[in-house]
């Protein structure tokens, strides 16, 4: 069966009697026809058009399925299910989905195929075989499969070696019914896809009499390595490999030079082949085969073929292939490898160069995607920071070159600092304090010869540092904060007031284009001066801690020093949480109001607030709270997400949680005051200890510790001010978005956050941006479901893992998890694993277990008995706030949210950096 015979049997004319849109040959199909031919059909048509070796065939389109589904009464069945799900506590209830799948499957199987549809299918089949009943493969092709974000591999059925008209029609019907298997129905529900919108096409493809077949990944799906092809091969049809029925030969090939870097021969005991009368025959050999079923030349040829497929699609592909008896290679399927984490667009295409990307999302405690406008705002902000060092980009809207984007998350290219002596020292030092687990990974990477140190002219570093120091007046401000901390704090308070008044200075007569330009100029003009007031004061506080620690060497423990920085003043996040607590006390004092807050869902309370119908104490108190802190929110670094001022549902939920804390001894304000007293007492104690080494040392220790307490709480101020700017930015963009929606360039105002700043300028100039937004929203929805985001990502596609995991042998068996000490103290209690704080419930005294946190999480801290966090270091946000509240905390605990389950009893030792999962506890 050679190439010429196979390819000549397909005719370009797809006009079939009475059914022009019922069947389409592959040659008439392209990637834009997904809704008509499904993912598999679109890919086969696309590959055929690209000249790739695809066995000919045709597609029974979704138009045929629609006719059969209508006759089967599927619409009414789906409507009934949707109505039930709308009122169910769990719309994705497994039992309900199984009932739906069973009923839908039965309705399709019992339906009659319309005569017009059957005639079109049979006519196309006969044309494919030049009038002869040839063997074909019949494969399902759903409209929601083989997509860039969801492959649906194996979710619907495939039937091989089908021969004859009746057998073909029966296989097509069974494919239609397989759209409603339990696994396919549940998978769609897990991806949030509307069951009523999915359609099924059926691919009918001439069978290849395969001598050898299997799968080929054009990138390594296990390691993520982009320039490694992975091949699994077995004699006979590829079904043995795809179904996992056999142990195939396994090859890993370096795609840049064709070297086979791994060769593992399987026993190949199971072989599936087509039988003469139709169907397949499975044979199993007890001994198997110890000989490779592919030669090295065939392995390299397959790799080259895979490279052609990847080049055509512009992304790594998971392909199925076959080699016939004549040695001809055939591609029977291709789909994206959806498990790979995407690389930044500018990642090098050679392994000789290695770039290292550090996740800003992970660092900021925001694991979800960032909207396109959120990324654009970060780029503009990055240009402002670069400008302080005299390195402002030519185009501020593009941002500095070190800012990258992958998987709708923000990454920073840290290759250059890793390759310079000073940069490496600063980067690793900062990571040790802020993201300890990332520090381990970065330190390991320094052993890679591709990241060897390079000489960097010292004058460049000195010039950049000097420029920044001059522009920000860093040294005088740092010394000034030491001398008069109250003056430094007042300057920061004035900066806050200036930012809060931004909206009042906007001229209503300005056009949308003028407002947008003014906003961009503010980022690179006035804003650098405002924000430069804060870092020197923070540096004074942190430097004071460090100097005091040096002076107390041999006289103090790490735990003693952590007590000193407990309950710090001037921390805007702490002040926010305590203000919310005070509001809860006023509500608690009114039993009727408190009862209403406890009994009504936060969403309903939020609607009542917007309508102005809450009880007066709560209505007024919440309005006052939001006036000061309404610019904040969960994942607040993304300008595209609502602020609490827009939707106070989360805050009302936290408020209801606070009302459950009735023990005065555990009241957060009381604990905060007690923490402040203990900190002041520790300052006095450490000053006394320093007198052992002299009066001057004692006075210096007292001075530095007092400055540490006065200024270190400002650590949260930059984020607080930045989010104020984002709130103003969001408000300006919302207004522009509404104008664009009114002119038809956007569907609704909120769509503006799925554009970049450059695209907003284009929209204001007349460009219709609705199609761009629809595509971006689909990508954002998929990325919202991504469960893993790498802390550190390499340009070859791999994610480094720590070789030296902290801990001792036997830790896992004893239920011990280790991380970075963050806040001293010990506590035992029930764990509450929370992945998203929105709507989360935390009982007083429960230990919060989270992947990471940002200020939107901190209201939960007030009632938490302790904190366990997967990300972070000693000065990360969660660690700082935990110390402020005096709750034991361990951060940087690998796998905490997976190893610990809600309801388990755990013990947290914040000084030792250890978490123990108690034995024998039942999950709650």
């Amino acid at each position: 069966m050679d190439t010429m015979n196979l390819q000549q049997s397909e005719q370009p004319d797809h006009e079939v009697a009475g059914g022009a849109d019922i069947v389409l040959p592959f040659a008439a199909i392209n990637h834009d026809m997904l809704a008509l031919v499904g993912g598999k059909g679109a890919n086969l048509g696309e590959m055929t058009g690209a000249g790739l070796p695809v066995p000919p065939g045709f597609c029974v389109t979704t138009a045929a399925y629609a006719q059969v589904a209508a006759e089967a009464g599927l619409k009414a069945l789906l409507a009934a299910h949707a109505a039930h799900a709308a009122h169910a506590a769990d719309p994705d209830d497994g039992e309900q989905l199984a009932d739906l799948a069973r009923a839908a499957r039965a309705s399709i199987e019992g339906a009659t195929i319309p005569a017009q549809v059957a005639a079109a299918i049979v006519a196309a089949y006969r044309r494919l075989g030049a009038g002869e009943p040839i063997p074909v493969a019949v494969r399902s092709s759903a409209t929601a499969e083989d997509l860039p974000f969801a492959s649906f591999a194996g979710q619907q059925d495939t039937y091989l070696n089908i021969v004859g008209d009746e057998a073909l029609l029966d296989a097509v019907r069974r494919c239609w019914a397989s759209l409603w298997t339990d696994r396919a129905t549940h998978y769609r529900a897990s991806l949030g896809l509307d069951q009523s919108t999915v359609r099924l096409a059926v691919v009918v493809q001439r069978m290849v009499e395969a001598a050898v077949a299997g799968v080929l990944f054009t990138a390594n799906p296990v390691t993520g390595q982009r320039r490694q092809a992975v091949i699994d091969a077995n004699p006979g049809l590829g079904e043995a490999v795809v179904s996992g029925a056999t142990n195939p030969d396994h090859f890993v090939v370096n795609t840049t030079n064709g070297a086979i870097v791994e060769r593992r021969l399987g026993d190949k005991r199971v072989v599936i082949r087509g039988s003469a009368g139709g169907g397949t025959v499975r044979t199993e050999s007890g001994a198997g085969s110890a000989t490779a079923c592919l030669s090295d030349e065939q392995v390299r040829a397959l790799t080259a073929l895979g490279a052609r497929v990847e080049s055509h699609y512009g992304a790594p592909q998971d392909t199925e292939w076959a080699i016939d008896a004549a040695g001809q290679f055939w591609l029977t399927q291709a789909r994206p490898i959806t498990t790979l984490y995407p690389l930044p667009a500018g990642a090098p295409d050679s392994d000789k160069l290695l770039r290292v990307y550090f996740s800003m999302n992970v660092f900021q405690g925001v694991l979800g995607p960032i909207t396109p406008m959120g990324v654009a705002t970060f780029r503009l902000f990055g240009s402002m920071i670069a400008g302080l060092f005299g390195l402002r980009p030519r185009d501020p809207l593009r941002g500095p070159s070190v800012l990258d984007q992958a998987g709708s998350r923000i990454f920073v290219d840290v290759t250059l600092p890793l390759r310079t002596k000073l940069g490496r020292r600063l980067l690793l030092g900062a990571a040790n304090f802020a993201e300890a687990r990332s520090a381990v990974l970065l330190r390991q990477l320094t052993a890679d010869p591709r990241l060897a140190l390079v000489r960097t002219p010292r004058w460049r570093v000195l010039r950049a540092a000097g420029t920044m120091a001059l522009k920000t007046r860093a040294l005088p401000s740092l010394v000034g904060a030491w001398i008069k901390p109250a003056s430094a704090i007042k300057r920061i308070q004035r900066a806050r007031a200036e930012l809060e008044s931004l909206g009042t200075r906007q001229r209503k007569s300005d056009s949308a284009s003028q407002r947008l330009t003014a906003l961009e100029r503010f980022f690179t003009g006035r804003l650098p001066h405002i924000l430069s007031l804060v870092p020197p004061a923070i540096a004074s506080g942190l430097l004071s801690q460090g100097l005091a620690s040096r002076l107390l060497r041999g006289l103090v423990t790490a735990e003693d020093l952590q007590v000193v920085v407990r309950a710090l003043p001037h921390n805007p996040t702490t002040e926010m949480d305590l203000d919310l607590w005070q509001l809860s006390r006023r509500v608690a004092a009114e039993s009727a109001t408190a009862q209403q807050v406890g009994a009504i869902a936060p969403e309903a309370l939020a609607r009542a607030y917007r309508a102005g119908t809450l009880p007066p104490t709560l209505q007024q108190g919440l309005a006052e709270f939001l006036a000061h802190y309404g610019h904040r929110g969960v994942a607040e670094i993304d300008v595209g997400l609502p602020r609490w001022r827009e939707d106070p549902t989360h805050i009302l939920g936290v408020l209801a949680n606070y009302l459950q804390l009735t023990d005065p001894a555990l009241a957060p304000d009381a604990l905060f005051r007690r923490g402040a007293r203990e900190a002041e007492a520790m300052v006095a104690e450490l000053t006394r200890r320093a007198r052992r080494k002299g009066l001057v040392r004692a006075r210096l220790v007292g001075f530095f510790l007092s400055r540490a307490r006065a200024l270190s709480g400002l650590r949260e101020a930059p984020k607080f001010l930045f989010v104020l700017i984002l709130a103003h930015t969001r408000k300006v963009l919302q207004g522009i978005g509404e104008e664009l929606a009114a002119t038809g360039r956007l569907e609704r105002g909120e769509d503006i956050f799925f554009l970049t700043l450059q695209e907003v300028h284009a929209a204001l100039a007349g460009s219709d941006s609705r199609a761009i937004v629809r595509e971006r929203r689909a990508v954002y929805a998929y990325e919202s479901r991504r469960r893993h985001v790498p802390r550190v990502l390499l340009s070859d596609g791999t994610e480094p893992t720590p070789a030296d995991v902290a801990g001792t042998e036997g830790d896992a068996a004893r239920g011990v998890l280790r991380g970075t000490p963050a806040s001293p103290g010990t506590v035992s209690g029930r764990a509450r694993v929370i992945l998203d704080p929105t709507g989360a419930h935390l009982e007083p005294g429960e230990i919060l277990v989270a992947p990471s946190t940002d200020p939107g999480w901190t209201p939960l801290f007030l009632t938490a008995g302790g904190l366990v966090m997967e990300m972070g270091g000693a000065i990360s946000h969660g660690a700082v706030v935990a110390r402020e509240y005096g709750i034991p905390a361990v951060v940087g605990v690998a796998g905490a949210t997976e190893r610990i389950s809600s309801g388990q009893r755990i013990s947290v030792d914040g000084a030792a950096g250890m978490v123990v999962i108690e034995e024998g506890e039942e999950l709650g």
Side-chain angles (χ1 to χ4, degrees):
M1 196 179 295
D2 58 31
T3 309
M4 185 65 70
N5 289 338
L6 274 173
Q7 291 181 338
Q8 283 185 347
S9 65
E10 180 172 14
Q11 302 298 320
D13 181 12
H14 63 269
E15 292 293 333
V16 178
D21 60 350
I22 297 300
V23 296
L24 290 172
F26 291 166
I29 296 172
N30 59 53
H31 69 278
D32 292 326
M33 302 169 72
L34 178 70
L36 189 61
V37 298
K40 193 178 285 91
N43 279 338
L44 288 169
E46 184 72 15
M47 287 194 294
T48 298
L52 292 164
V54 177
F58 61 90
C59 192
V60 182
T61 69
T62 56
Y65 171 83
Q67 290 188 38
V68 173
E71 182 166 317
L74 195 61
K75 183 176 181 180
L77 187 66
L78 291 172
H81 170 76
H84 183 274
H87 297 92
D90 179 7
D92 294 332
D93 175 75
E95 187 175 339
Q96 294 295 326
L97 286 170
D99 289 343
L100 170 66
R102 194 160 40 247
R105 203 162 55 244
S107 68
I108 295 292
E109 290 171 345
T112 300
I113 300 179
Q116 179 186 24
V117 172
I121 295 171
V122 169
Y125 172 59
R126 291 176 179 174
R127 181 178 291 113
L128 184 63
E132 295 296 322
I134 62 170
V136 291
V138 182
R139 294 186 171 97
S140 304
S141 179
T143 54
E145 73 172 3
D146 292 357
L147 304 177
F149 52 86
S151 73
F152 282 76
Q155 297 300 315
Q156 281 86 43
D157 289 347
T158 290
Y159 300 97
L160 301 177
N161 207 43
I162 301 299
V163 181
D165 298 351
E166 292 304 318
L168 172 61
L169 292 174
D170 181 61
V172 169
R173 184 203 305 276
R174 284 185 284 161
C175 280
W176 286 332
S178 75
L179 183 63
W180 299 102
T181 60
D182 287 357
R183 63 180 183 272
T185 307
H186 280 81
Y187 188 58
R188 290 193 294 270
S190 73
L191 293 177
L193 295 173
D194 185 347
Q195 304 279 2
S196 66
T197 62
V198 181
R199 299 286 184 270
L200 191 82
V202 179
V203 166
V204 179
Q205 188 173 26
R206 188 160 186 168
M207 283 288 294
V208 175
E209 295 178 7
V212 185
V215 296
L216 160 68
F217 295 89
T218 66
N220 194 316
V222 177
T223 66
Q225 170 65 267
R226 292 310 200 269
R227 281 161 288 281
Q228 281 188 353
V230 178
I231 299 169
D232 282 350
N234 202 72
L237 299 175
E239 178 68 13
V241 177
V242 174
S243 66
T246 191
N247 183 16
D249 290 342
H250 178 80
F251 305 90
V252 179
V253 187
N254 186 323
T255 58
T256 57
N257 58 17
I260 301 174
V261 297
E262 183 181 340
R263 184 196 312 269
R264 188 173 68 245
L265 300 187
D267 52 41
K268 304 177 286 295
R269 292 182 179 179
V270 175
V271 176
I272 299 175
R273 299 188 188 278
S275 63
T280 58
V281 175
R282 170 183 169 134
T283 59
E284 188 165 350
S285 167
S289 171
T291 304
C293 60
L294 290 177
S295 68
D296 287 1
E297 290 74 16
Q298 287 175 317
V299 168
R300 293 190 181 97
L302 271 174
T303 301
L305 180 58
R308 287 175 59 194
V309 178
E310 180 175 307
S311 176
H312 176 75
Y313 284 102
Q317 298 290 304
D318 165 7
T319 71
E320 295 179 22
W321 55 270
I323 304 176
D324 63 25
Q328 172 67 39
F329 290 75
W330 296 100
L331 291 169
T332 58
Q333 192 165 323
R335 53 179 167 253
I337 306 176
T338 58
T339 55
L340 298 176
Y341 194 87
L343 291 177
D349 57 5
S350 169
D351 286 347
K352 293 180 180 179
L353 299 174
L354 185 68
R355 304 209 70 82
V356 182
Y357 306 102
F358 176 72
S359 171
M360 279 297 293
N361 275 64
V362 170
F363 180 65
Q364 289 292 329
V366 180
L367 300 188
I370 306 290
T371 60
M373 185 57 74
V375 175
T377 308
F378 246 90
R379 292 188 185 280
L380 190 57
F381 187 74
S383 295
M384 183 212 79
I385 299 296
L388 293 176
F389 290 88
L391 303 171
R392 181 178 174 179
R394 291 183 179 178
D395 182 358
L397 299 188
R398 290 187 178 274
S401 59
V402 295
L403 273 184
D404 270 302
Q405 175 184 354
S408 299
R409 275 91 176 167
I410 299 170
F411 287 81
V412 178
D413 187 338
V414 296
T415 310
L416 181 59
L418 268 181
R419 300 200 65 186
T420 61
K421 192 172 182 180
L422 177 61
R424 182 178 289 186
R425 186 182 306 147
L426 293 174
L427 179 63
L428 293 178
N432 272 328
F433 283 104
E435 229 298 292
R437 290 177 62 197
S438 295
V440 173
L441 301 177
L442 294 172
R443 191 174 294 107
Q444 286 176 198
L445 288 172
T446 59
D448 193 309
R450 293 170 294 179
L451 297 174
L453 291 173
V454 293
R455 290 181 60 85
T456 302
R458 185 166 293 183
W459 64 267
R460 289 185 181 175
V461 178
L462 293 175
R463 184 179 67 180
T467 300
M468 186 274 294
L470 288 172
K471 285 189 174 185
T472 62
R473 300 186 72 252
L475 188 58
S477 297
L478 188 149
V479 175
W482 258 343
I483 296 171
K484 290 185 177 180
S487 297
I489 292 164
K490 284 182 180 177
R491 284 195 293 273
I492 293 171
Q493 290 171 340
R494 286 197 294 270
R496 173 179 173 174
E498 180 177 349
L499 292 175
E500 287 175 332
S501 67
L502 281 175
T504 62
R505 286 182 269 156
Q506 187 173 302
R507 293 184 302 184
K508 295 182 179 179
S509 59
D510 286 348
S511 67
S513 184
Q514 289 172 324
R515 298 198 303 275
L516 183 60
T517 300
L519 179 66
E520 293 166 354
R521 287 176 178 168
F522 173 77
F523 266 85
T524 54
R526 176 63 179 159
L527 183 56
H529 170 71
I530 296 174
L531 293 186
S532 67
L533 298 172
V534 186
I538 298 172
S540 296
L542 297 177
L543 188 58
S544 295
Q545 290 183 52
L547 291 172
S549 177
R550 281 181 172 273
L551 291 169
L552 286 164
R553 187 171 295 168
L555 301 171
V556 68
T557 66
E559 190 171 350
D560 291 337
L561 290 173
Q562 287 182 341
V563 172
V564 170
V565 291
R566 183 177 288 175
L568 293 169
H570 313 304
N571 183 327
T573 300
T574 306
E575 293 169 351
M576 174 187 76
D577 295 340
L578 291 174
D579 281 357
L580 186 60
W581 169 255
Q582 290 303 325
L583 173 57
S584 77
R585 295 308 87 199
R586 296 200 297 275
V587 170
E590 298 180 1
S591 58
T593 303
Q595 186 176 6
Q596 185 173 347
V597 172
I600 299 176
E603 294 82 2
L605 291 172
R607 289 193 295 271
Y609 170 74
R610 287 189 286 268
T613 58
L614 287 174
T617 297
L618 179 55
Q619 183 76 31
Q620 182 180 346
L622 184 57
E624 291 171 356
F625 175 85
L626 294 176
H628 288 92
Y629 305 107
H631 63 289
R632 309 212 77 162
V634 177
E636 61 190 5
I637 61 169
D638 186 356
V639 73
L641 297 184
R643 311 288 109 176
W644 287 336
R645 189 175 290 125
E646 300 170 63
D647 183 6
T649 300
H650 175 60
I651 289 301
L652 287 161
V654 173
L655 197 66
N657 196 49
Y658 284 178
L659 294 176
Q660 297 183 57
L661 184 56
T662 56
D663 186 347
L666 297 177
D669 52 352
L671 292 176
F672 190 83
R673 288 192 296 270
R674 187 172 72 194
R677 289 194 299 270
E678 290 173 354
E680 295 294 346
M682 183 58 73
V683 169
E685 167 62 20
L686 295 181
T687 304
R688 282 194 295 273
R689 292 183 199 175
R691 287 200 187 108
R692 301 173 194 170
K693 296 190 176 183
L695 183 60
V696 173
R697 184 175 295 236
R699 287 181 174 173
L700 285 173
V701 165
F703 173 81
F704 286 131
L705 289 180
S706 68
R707 292 303 184 263
R709 283 200 54 75
L711 297 168
S712 295
L714 294 171
R715 180 202 172 281
E716 293 288 310
K719 180 81 167 285
F720 187 88
L721 297 180
F722 176 59
V723 176
L724 265 174
I725 298 159
L726 291 184
H728 169 67
T729 301
R730 179 173 171 82
K731 190 172 183 180
V732 172
L733 291 172
Q734 281 176 316
I736 297 172
E738 293 299 333
E739 292 185 31
L740 289 172
T743 58
R745 295 166 201 165
L746 292 176
E747 291 178 1
R748 52 187 183 275
E750 287 292 306
D751 286 349
I752 195 171
F753 297 111
F754 287 86
L755 301 176
T756 65
L757 288 166
Q758 297 95 322
E759 289 165 347
V760 174
H761 281 290
L764 289 171
S767 175
D768 186 341
S769 301
R770 290 175 294 183
I772 296 174
V773 170
R774 283 193 292 271
E775 181 179 336
R776 298 257 176 88
R777 281 191 178 276
V779 172
Y780 184 87
Y782 167 69
E783 288 296 339
S784 297
R785 294 187 290 270
R786 190 182 291 278
R787 295 180 179 179
H788 175 71
V789 180
R791 288 174 174 76
V792 177
L793 179 66
L794 305 184
S795 59
D796 62 7
T798 61
E799 178 186 351
T801 55
D804 54 336
V805 178
T808 60
E809 289 186 15
D811 272 357
R814 294 184 293 115
V816 175
L817 305 178
R818 297 184 183 272
T820 301
S823 180
T826 59
V827 65
S828 294
R830 292 202 174 274
R832 176 72 65 176
V833 179
I834 297 177
L835 304 179
D836 183 344
T838 305
H841 180 72
L842 187 72
E843 294 283 345
E846 286 185 328
I847 298 170
L848 173 61
V849 182
S852 187
T853 63
D854 73 350
W857 286 73
T858 60
L860 294 172
F861 284 31
L862 287 189
T863 55
L867 171 68
V868 178
M869 205 164 72
E870 288 187 330
M871 323 293 187
I875 63 167
S876 61
H877 169 80
V880 170
V881 177
R883 285 196 295 272
E884 297 253 339
Y885 295 152
I887 61 174
V890 182
V891 301
V893 182
T897 60
E898 297 173 359
R899 295 280 305 279
I900 301 170
S901 299
S902 290
Q904 280 184 314
R905 189 170 182 83
I906 65 174
S907 294
V908 177
D909 187 334
M914 186 168 68
V915 179
V916 179
I917 304 173
E918 305 271 337
E919 301 250 340
E921 287 292 329
E922 295 295 326
L923 300 186

